[in-house]
């Protein structure tokens, strides 16, 4: 689908996307790149990163991949420094790396709970804090009069409660708090905007195939006439809005992009 944004809306910007090699993270990388940004992607799997970087480069996007795990502070630091060395500045950080699996709370070990908290919540905080010196107004390498922008990928499942996702619900609730608190502190002190996106069910993502397998999705479509599945494109367009000057007065918001899904109850 054609983008409603000008192709150069992010010209000259550098974006670092964790989990940028696949799913929603890859689509955000692609669309930020197509709108003029240079892209660094961070991920754990070398072959996924290589394939993603090649795909971005084949679209004419300046792209580079760095292996790393957001749970490791030394990886976060190294990847952010490498991005800075490669491109000379960092303007946008997108935290899209996430871990997930369905498990009843009574079968979830403390380590399983902690693992998802570590990836989604602690990882997001670590990346933000390590990137701060580059993103802040007047920060290292900055040639822009304003600060940079952070985008945290969240979810809607913690607005109510979700079966078999206590770990993810807790982790995404923490992500939303991180978004608001950093928006307050860093928006005030450093002119950095920090926002989030809470996607609903999105086609062709690990989230949908793992958390709402075909049989559940088909049932939902049969029983909930209002059940809709979005596209990765929908999330990426919202990302462009939030990280570009189109969203320059938006700070501390987590934008729900789900077609109204979380509001809906079955019609009786
Ligand atoms: C129960 C599980 C489990 C499962 C792992 N664990 N998978 N417990 N059911 N299916 C437990 C393990 O037993 C272990 O605890 C602990 O978690 C760590 O597991 P590891 O396999 O050692 O961890 P690791 O290799 O680091 O992998 C972490 C991972 C990750 C979270 C499992 O591999 C993963 O899920 N990757 C998928 C990435 C992904 O799908 N991303 C998209 C997310 S979609 P013990 O006690 O045994 O040591 C998304 C959407 C959210 O985020 C919103 C949707 C609505």
């Amino acid at each position: 689908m054609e983008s409603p944004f000008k192709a150069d809306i992010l010209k000259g910007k550098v974006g670092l996307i964790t989990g940028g090699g696949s799913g929603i993270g890859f689509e955000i990388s692609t669309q930020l790149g197509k709108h003029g940004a240079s892209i660094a992607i961070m991920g754990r799997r070398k072959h996924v990163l290589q394939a993603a970087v090649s795909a971005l480069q084949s679209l004419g996007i300046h792209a580079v991949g760095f292996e790393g795990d957001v749970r490791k502070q030394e990886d976060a630091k190294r990847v952010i420094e490498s991005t800075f060395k490669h491109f000379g500045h960092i303007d946008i950080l997108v935290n899209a790396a996430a871990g997930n699996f369905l498990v009843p709370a009574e079968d979830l070990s403390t380590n399983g709970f902690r693992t998802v908290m570590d990836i989604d919540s602690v990882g997001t905080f670590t990346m933000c804090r390590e990137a701060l010196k580059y993103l802040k107004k007047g920060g290292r390498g900055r040639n822009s009069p304003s600060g940079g922008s952070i985008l945290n990928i969240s979810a809607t499942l913690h607005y109510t409660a979700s079966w078999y996702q206590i770990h993810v619900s807790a982790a995404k609730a923490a992500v939303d708090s991180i978004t608001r608190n950093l928006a307050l502190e860093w928006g005030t002190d450093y002119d950095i905007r920090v926002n989030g996106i809470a996607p609903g069910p999105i086609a062709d993502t690990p989230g949908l195939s793992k958390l709402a397998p075909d049989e559940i999705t088909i049932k939902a479509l049969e029983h909930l006439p209002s059940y809709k599945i979005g596209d990765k494109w929908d999330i990426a367009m919202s990302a462009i809005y939030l990280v570009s000057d189109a969203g320059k007065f938006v700070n501390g918001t987590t934008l729900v992009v789900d077609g109204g899904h979380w509001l809906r109850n079955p019609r009786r």
Side-chain angles (χ1 to χ4, degrees):
M1 197 185 280
E2 201 178 316
S3 167
F5 294 101
K6 287 187 177 167
D8 64 352
I9 190 169
L10 296 173
K11 193 175 169 195
K13 305 278 187 198
V14 173
L16 168 60
I17 294 96
T18 72
S22 61
I24 285 172
F26 179 65
E27 181 68 11
I28 292 175
S29 303
T30 305
Q31 293 296 346
L32 297 193
K34 278 183 161 182
H35 289 79
S38 300
I39 300 296
I41 56 179
M42 175 178 182
R44 280 187 293 164
R45 294 168 296 172
K46 194 174 186 169
H47 65 284
V48 173
L49 272 184
Q50 280 172 344
V53 169
S54 300
L56 294 173
Q57 288 172 342
S58 71
L59 294 170
I61 296 166
H62 294 294
V64 63
F66 297 112
E67 248 180 288
D69 186 333
V70 297
R71 288 173 286 188
K72 296 180 182 152
Q73 195 183 345
E74 62 275 18
D75 285 15
K77 196 172 159 55
R78 172 180 49 76
V79 169
I80 288 163
E81 281 174 2
S82 302
T83 303
F84 173 71
K85 277 192 193 132
H86 192 87
F87 290 118
H89 54 110
I90 304 174
D91 306 285
I92 299 162
L93 169 66
V94 181
N95 289 297
N100 216 331
F101 46 83
L102 286 174
V103 61
E106 67 177 308
D107 297 331
L108 177 63
S109 69
T110 297
N111 193 40
F113 185 92
R114 185 184 292 121
T115 297
V116 172
M117 291 294 290
D118 271 348
I119 299 170
D120 293 23
S121 324
V122 184
T124 291
F125 175 71
T126 304
M127 290 299 297
C128 291
R129 205 203 42 237
E130 293 297 334
L132 174 61
K133 66 179 173 219
Y134 302 99
L135 294 173
K136 63 166 88 165
K137 189 176 184 171
R140 291 182 66 189
R142 291 207 72 71
N143 52 14
S144 144
S146 59
S149 176
I150 295 174
L151 181 64
N152 296 326
I153 304 305
S154 185
T156 58
L157 72 181
H158 54 292
Y159 295 172
T160 52
S162 269
W163 290 98
Y164 311 138
Q165 291 180 75
I166 189 172
H167 46 331
V168 186
S169 292
K172 295 301 192 183
V175 167
D176 290 354
S177 288
I178 290 167
T179 298
R180 284 191 294 270
N181 281 278
L182 294 186
L184 176 69
E185 291 193 23
W186 295 357
T188 307
D189 293 346
Y190 303 125
D191 206 8
I192 296 172
R193 293 187 303 109
V194 187
N195 290 296
I197 292 178
I202 301 296
D204 300 325
T205 57
L208 191 69
S209 50
K210 283 177 87 171
L211 307 179
D214 280 352
E215 59 271 23
I216 296 178
T217 307
I218 289 162
K219 254 192 198 152
L221 287 168
E222 279 169 5
H223 295 290
L224 290 172
S226 58
Y227 187 92
K228 288 181 193 159
I229 296 177
D231 296 316
K232 288 178 273 192
W233 184 91
D234 296 306
I235 307 303
M237 290 302 116
S238 302
I240 293 175
Y241 164 64
L242 288 171
V243 303
S244 71
D245 284 346
K248 70 182 175 49
F249 201 51
V250 184
N251 193 23
T253 286
T254 294
L255 184 66
V256 179
V257 185
D258 76 338
H261 175 72
W262 86 272
L263 300 169
R264 293 186 179 126
N265 283 314
R267 286 182 190 163
R268 297 177 207 286

